[in-house]
Amino acid sequence: MSMTVADVTYERLAKTIDHSLLRPELTLTEVREGCELAARYDVASACVRPADVVFAADVLTGSSVAVGTVVGFPHGSHSTATKVFEAERALDDGATELDMVINIGWLRSGEDARVGEDIAAVVKAAGDHAIVKVILENAYLNDDEKVRGCRLAESAGAHYVKTSTGFAPGGATHEDLKLMRETVSSAMKVKAAGGVRTLDALLEVMDIGVDRVGATQTAAILDDYRSRTSK
């Protein structure tokens, strides 16, 4: 039986959402409004552009919403040293969640050891101060590459595997989410990004075993939940 609104509390639903504020054209006013929305709805995190981390951390002070940001975004082709610097700077600026993009070209080239070392370097930089979510960018990968990417992320000590950046030709699919969930251990979490825009879509991916989603339609999703559960 599929998950319904009766199966989840507001808190559980809200704490599944990373409110995404990554579009390049967003103004600082829009970033502030997005962070305030994230705090008002008490979601898991606001995921902002690296240059906005200090700003977001200030806006979210006093809330239970984490500050997240991205590393090697959106193409994953930064050098490992650059990714490590980005991670360290993000932590210094106040981030506690890091969504890093793998080196997609290396994975597709069969350079698995290099991909694993790239992830592990960011995980090491995060230490005990931040969780690391590894973005595979599934739109560019076949199933074997997705499986290998998941296993490399887990072996490197990351906390999540994530489907996509939201900037590639495709986002999260149920098939990919099932494959990812089946590939990693129960200790590893899965994040869906790209295409989860409604409450029903969120419930469907949670039913698969997704622990977080990247969302821009946060208010619509959570308002719908409140509407359906109000007495």
Side-chain angles (χ1 to χ4, degrees), residues 72 74-78 83 101-111 115 118 135-141 145 148 165 168:
H75 299 130
S77 51
H78 298 51
K83 289 180 179 178
V101 188
I102 64 162
N103 191 304
I104 302 160
W106 284 356
L107 183 66
R108 295 187 68 237
S109 300
E111 296 285 341
V115 175
D118 189 57
I135 304 170
L136 302 182
E137 202 66 290
N138 288 338
Y140 299 129
L141 306 177
E145 290 159 352
R148 284 165 35 221
T165 62

Side-chain angles (χ1 to χ4, degrees), residues 44-95:
S45 78
C47 190
V48 301
R49 303 167 300 199
D52 298 330
V53 171
V54 171
F55 181 68
D58 180 62
V59 175
L60 290 168
T61 297
S63 78
S64 67
V65 177
V67 178
T69 193
V70 288
V71 172
F73 197 84
H75 299 130
S77 51
H78 298 51
S79 70
T80 299
T82 298
K83 289 180 179 178
V84 168
F85 176 82
E86 282 189 298
E88 291 172 344
R89 181 58 185 263
L91 295 177
D92 289 344
D93 286 348

Side-chain angles (χ1 to χ4, degrees), residues 134-199:
V134 176
I135 304 170
L136 302 182
E137 202 66 290
N138 288 338
Y140 299 129
L141 306 177
N142 62 35
D143 283 355
D144 174 68
E145 290 159 352
K146 294 166 194 172
V147 167
R148 284 165 35 221
C150 283
R151 290 176 176 162
L152 289 165
E154 183 158 21
S155 295
H159 305 86
Y160 285 77
V161 282
K162 177 178 170 182
T163 59
S164 30
T165 62
F167 290 85
T173 68
H174 288 190
E175 293 75 20
D176 281 349
L177 292 168
K178 290 173 183 174
L179 179 65
M180 293 164 74
R181 183 65 275 168
E182 291 165 0
T183 300
V184 297
S185 74
S186 59
M188 189 82 166
K189 298 180 179 180
V190 176
K191 178 175 174 180
V196 182
R197 299 186 180 92
T198 66
L199 174 57

